[in-house]
C-alpha cells in the first residue's frame, strides 16, 4: 500500500532529522566541510559514485567544492532518500531548501525568533549579502580571477558560473543584472551579486527584473 501524501513531500526535513544531521555535521567542528570530507562521510551510505556526485552537485549551491551547514543538510537528506529507493531529482527541490528553518545553525539551539518558516509557506528571500557571505564570495573571486586583479573577466566569471548548471538564459539574465558597465568585466561586488543570484536561483527563487536595492 502506498503511504504517499499530496500534502507532505518526502524532501521536507523533519525536526528530528535536522537534529540527527546536525550531530553528524558537528563532528567536523567547522563551518564548512570539504568535498573530500563529504565524500568520505557519504561513502558510508554504499551509494554508487555517480549518485554521490549528483548529490554533491545539487547540494553545493554556490559551487565552491565545500558544504555549508545548510548545503550539508540538503546533501544528507538526498543521501537518506536515495538509500530508501527514491530517484534523485534533476534540481534541488524547493521544499527541501525551504524546510530548513531560517537561521538554522550548525551549533545546537533554536533558530532566532521568527526565523522559522512553514515548508508550504512563501520562501523568505534574502537579497542582502552578509559579511560572512561577502568574504566567501571574495575568496571565489580570487580563486577564479587573475592574481591581484580587482576585476574578473567575462571568461573567468563564466568558468565559475557555468558550474552552477543553470540554463544559459538564467546565466545571461544574471550577467545583464550585475554587469553595470558592460565592459566585459565584473568587480568583486558585481561578481558577489552574480554568485548570490545563482545560489538563490538554484534554490528555485525567481530572478528579479532589476537588481534589488
Amino acid at each position: 500500500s502506498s503511504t504517499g501524501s499530496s500534502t507532505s513531500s518526502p524532501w521536507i526535513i523533519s525536526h528530528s532529522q535536522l537534529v540527527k544531521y546536525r550531530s553528524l555535521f558537528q563532528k567536523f567542528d567547522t563551518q564548512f566541510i570539504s568535498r573530500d570530507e563529504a565524500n568520505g562521510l557519504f561513502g558510508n551510505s554504499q551509494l554508487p559514485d555517480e549518485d554521490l556526485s549528483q548529490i554533491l552537485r545539487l547540494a553545493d549551491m554556490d559551487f565552491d567544492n565545500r558544504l555549508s551547514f545548510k548545503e550539508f543538510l540538503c546533501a544528507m537528506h538526498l543521501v537518506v532518500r536515495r538509500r530508501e529507493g527514491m530517484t534523485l531529482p534533476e534540481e534541488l527541490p524547493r521544499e527541501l531548501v525551504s524546510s530548513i528553518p531560517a537561521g538554522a545553525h550548525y551549533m545546537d539551539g533554536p533558530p532566532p525568533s521568527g526565523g522559522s518558516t512553514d515548508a508550504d509557506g512563501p520562501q523568505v528571500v534574502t537579497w542582502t549579502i552578509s559579511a560572512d557571505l561577502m568574504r566567501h564570495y571574495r575568496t571565489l573571486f580570487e580563486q577564479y580571477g587573475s592574481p591581484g586583479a580587482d576585476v574578473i573577466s567575462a571568461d573567468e566569471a563564466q568558468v565559475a558560473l557555468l558550474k552552477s548548471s543553470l540554463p544559459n538564459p538564467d546565466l545571461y539574465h544574471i550577467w545583464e543584472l550585475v554587469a553595470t558597465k558592460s565592459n566585459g568585466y565584473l568587480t568583486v561586488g558585481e561578481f558577489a551579486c552574480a554568485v548570490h543570484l545563482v545560489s538563490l536561483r538554484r534554490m528555485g527563487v525567481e530572478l528579479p527584473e532589476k537588481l534589488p536595492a
Side-chain angles (χ1 to χ4, degrees):
S1 62
S2 172
T3 56
S5 168
S6 60
T7 57
S8 180
S9 164
W11 300 118
I12 293 173
I13 299 176
S14 69
H15 176 71
S16 60
Q17 287 170 326
L18 175 65
V19 172
K20 182 179 179 181
Y21 301 161
R22 178 190 277 130
S23 69
L24 287 171
F25 190 87
Q26 285 174 340
K27 292 179 181 179
F28 292 94
D29 193 27
T30 180
Q31 292 187 49
F32 297 93
I33 67 172
S34 70
R35 195 180 183 96
D36 286 343
E37 289 171 326
N39 265 325
L41 174 64
F42 300 149
N44 295 330
S45 67
Q46 307 299 315
L47 290 178
D49 288 345
E50 55 266 31
D51 282 352
L52 295 178
S53 293
Q54 184 178 351
I55 286 168
L56 287 171
R57 179 184 66 79
L58 289 168
D60 186 10
M61 289 179 271
D62 53 8
F63 46 92
D64 63 348
N65 289 320
R66 62 179 186 172
L67 298 181
S68 66
F69 177 54
K70 185 173 184 177
E71 292 169 333
F72 175 82
L73 292 176
C74 292
M76 194 66 222
H77 200 59
L78 289 168
V79 166
V80 167
R81 290 302 188 222
R82 182 68 183 117
R83 288 195 68 193
E84 293 172 352
M86 290 191 62
T87 301
L88 289 173
E90 290 300 312
E91 296 181 353
L92 202 59
R94 182 177 177 182
E95 62 268 30
L96 170 54
V97 179
S98 58
S99 68
I100 300 171
H105 196 260
Y106 68 98
M107 297 302 291
D108 291 303
S113 175
S116 177
T117 58
D118 183 81
D120 296 320
Q123 189 175 20
V124 179
V125 179
T126 304
W127 298 112
T128 306
I129 299 176
S130 68
D132 281 345
L133 269 180
M134 189 64 205
R135 281 192 290 272
H136 171 49
Y137 295 156
R138 182 179 289 278
T139 300
L140 283 178
F141 178 86
E142 293 168 353
Q143 177 182 333
Y144 287 99
S146 301
D150 56 0
V151 292
I152 191 170
S153 71
D155 287 342
E156 291 166 336
Q158 187 179 41
V159 171
L161 300 181
L162 282 174
K163 290 193 173 186
S164 67
S165 300
L166 286 181
N168 285 333
D170 282 348
L171 293 176
Y172 179 79
H173 184 49
I174 288 170
W175 183 271
E176 290 292 296
L177 286 171
V178 303
T180 55
K181 294 186 176 65
S182 301
N183 61 358
Y185 290 89
L186 296 181
T187 65
V188 64
E190 290 167 339
F191 178 78
C193 287
V195 177
H196 196 58
L197 288 169
V198 164
S199 181
L200 289 171
R201 183 70 187 112
R202 290 194 68 194
M203 295 183 206
V205 175
E206 292 296 324
L207 291 172
E209 287 302 311
K210 61 181 182 178
L211 210 57

